[in-house]
Amino acid sequence: MLGGAGKANILNSDGPHGSFGPLFSLLQNIIIDFHTKGLYNLCFPYRDSLWLCLLNSGTSVVAGFAVFSVLGFMAQKQGVSIEEVAESGPGLAFIAYPQAVAMMPFPQLWSVCFFIMIILLGLDTQFVAMEVFMTSAMDLYPMVLRKAGRREIFLLLFCVFCFFCQLVMVTEGGMYVFQLFDYYACSGACLFFLCVFESLAMGWVFGAERMFDVIEDMTNSRPNYIFMLCWKYLTPFVSLVSFVCSMVKYKPLTFNRWYVYPDWAYALGWLLALSSILLVPGWALIRLFTEKGSLKQRWRHLCSPDTNLPFISKQKAETEENTFITEMQDLVKSDTN
């Protein structure tokens, strides 16, 4: 359980690469910085994003030592195995770990530090998630949301909407609802499945070479080619293997190892999972059947980048060069005539 949760947590923090995921986090940070500082200040965020990914992975390693040393200490005190001390999820953070902190010297100090860390971790995750969502929404509706004050109003409304939707999770039975969402909708197979298609879309549909040109255009430096190998081969393969393993090792959700959810709750959980999983093949089939042309033409059209994307500097230079050559040829022809 802890191993599977750790994989999903790395996906949430580093992107679809799992432990190979710095570039998706890099692109996420570049997107955020592009909308806050502008296009020509991106060389420093490129470096900072790499450092952020390294620090994030390093922090996960240190946290692993801290968590398992505490669990080992509690297991020794109670005379049981580590698996019986606590399971992954909220029980580990809000039951097992506070009990361990209470056994340490100066428990008040460590308790304050621990819960401040939990609060800061939640705020940090929320800031990044909201900023990425707002960036996507502004890109979709620039004429509406880029007017003065509208971005802030939309962000406020979205936060209020999320707040009221999640109030059910802080009720007396909210932990059962939270576990259901966490187990089926927000981690595991859903993330791995979406990561497969996300990496394929970027590495093969949009094109890794084109992505290199975009990053070079924004940062004036070309990424290492090991990233292209990750985008095109390593990331889809690792994500696919992880998805298959998560499906093979699937076990029905239980709460604190004793409460078994009713059948309708499991059905609801799989509906939550399918609500995100089916969007990718569903939208692909809709576009495949609504496009014009033969099946092969529609497939090739859908598997190619949008022709209305803005030109990068390299494409602008090629276009200007071709235009200049054409004008010179026309001029020579007119002089000859």
Side-chain angles (χ1 to χ4, degrees):
M1 285 292 290
L2 289 174
K7 292 177 184 177
N9 180 65
I10 291 177
L11 282 175
N12 279 316
S13 58
D14 272 348
H17 285 71
S19 58
F20 306 100
L23 256 292
F24 273 88
S25 181
L26 161 68
L27 293 176
Q28 184 184 62
N29 285 291
I30 284 179
I31 290 172
I32 294 173
D33 202 82
F34 172 73
H35 282 263
T36 54
K37 296 182 180 179
L39 180 62
Y40 296 103
N41 293 327
L42 289 174
C43 54
F44 292 110
Y46 179 78
R47 180 197 62 194
D48 295 343
S49 297
L50 289 176
W51 275 109
L52 178 62
C53 297
L54 293 175
L55 289 171
N56 179 75
S57 300
T59 304
S60 299
V61 172
V62 174
F65 281 109
V67 169
F68 283 101
S69 63
V70 170
L71 291 179
F73 167 75
M74 292 189 64
Q76 185 181 25
K77 283 286 186 181
Q78 299 175 11
V80 297
S81 64
I82 292 180
E83 290 80 6
E84 297 178 15
V85 174
E87 61 180 355
S88 62
L92 178 63
F94 297 107
I95 299 176
Y97 214 86
Q99 289 176 352
V101 169
M103 300 178 186
M104 297 179 181
F106 307 106
Q108 295 83 1
L109 173 64
W110 296 114
S111 298
V112 170
C113 293
F114 174 73
F115 284 104
I116 287 177
M117 179 199 71
I118 294 293
I119 293 172
L120 293 178
L121 181 64
L123 287 175
D124 172 71
T125 304
Q126 193 72 7
F127 281 136
V128 175
M130 288 295 175
E131 190 63 33
V132 172
F133 172 80
M134 289 301 301
T135 299
S136 302
M138 289 177 67
D139 286 342
L140 285 173
Y141 307 103
M143 301 300 294
V144 177
L145 294 177
R146 289 186 179 175
K147 294 182 179 180
R150 292 196 176 181
R151 180 187 184 278
E152 290 77 10
I153 294 174
F154 179 70
L155 179 59
L156 176 62
L157 293 176
F158 182 68
C159 290
V160 171
F161 172 77
C162 293
F163 172 78
F164 282 107
C165 288
Q166 295 169 15
L167 278 179
V168 66
M169 297 186 185
V170 296
T171 59
E172 186 174 349
M175 190 58 69
Y176 298 94
V177 179
F178 172 81
Q179 288 281 69
L180 196 66
F181 269 83
D182 181 64
Y183 193 78
Y184 287 99
C186 305
S187 60
C190 295
L191 284 176
F192 294 129
F193 181 83
L194 294 176
C195 289
V196 172
F197 286 95
E198 184 179 353
S199 55
L200 288 176
M202 198 191 76
W204 293 95
V205 178
F206 184 78
E209 189 67 34
R210 185 186 181 95
M211 179 61 70
F212 267 39
D213 293 337
V214 171
I215 294 177
E216 183 180 15
D217 188 58
M218 292 191 296
T219 65
N220 295 323
S221 62
R222 200 166 182 81
N224 193 296
Y225 274 89
I226 191 174
F227 296 140
M228 183 179 292
L229 295 177
C230 289
W231 292 338
K232 297 185 70 173
Y233 305 106
L234 189 58
T235 299
F237 175 74
V238 171
S239 301
L240 181 61
V241 170
S242 300
F243 171 72
V244 173
C245 290
S246 66
M247 295 301 296
V248 171
K249 296 182 178 180
Y250 165 76
K251 294 180 180 179
L253 173 65
T254 58
F255 184 72
N256 283 344
R257 299 193 191 88
W258 62 269
Y259 179 78
V260 179
Y261 284 77
D263 292 337
W264 64 265
Y266 291 126
L268 177 61
W270 278 110
L271 284 176
L272 291 172
L274 293 175
S275 66
S276 57
I277 288 179
L278 293 181
L279 286 178
V280 176
W283 182 250
L285 289 175
I286 291 174
R287 292 296 303 272
L288 191 63
F289 286 110
T290 55
E291 292 287 329
K292 297 180 180 179
S294 63
L295 182 62
K296 184 178 180 180
Q297 290 174 334
R298 284 178 282 175
W299 177 259
R300 293 186 64 180
H301 174 70
L302 293 175
C303 292
S304 58
D306 193 344
T307 55
N308 294 324
L309 293 174
F311 282 174
I312 60 177
S313 299
K314 184 177 179 180
Q315 293 172 318
K316 290 179 180 178
E318 292 176 354
T319 303
E320 291 174 358
E321 182 180 356
N322 293 334
T323 304
F324 177 75
I325 293 174
T326 303
E327 291 177 351
M328 292 300 295
Q329 289 176 347
D330 293 340
L331 182 62
V332 171
K333 289 180 181 179
S334 62
D335 291 341
T336 304
N337 296 331

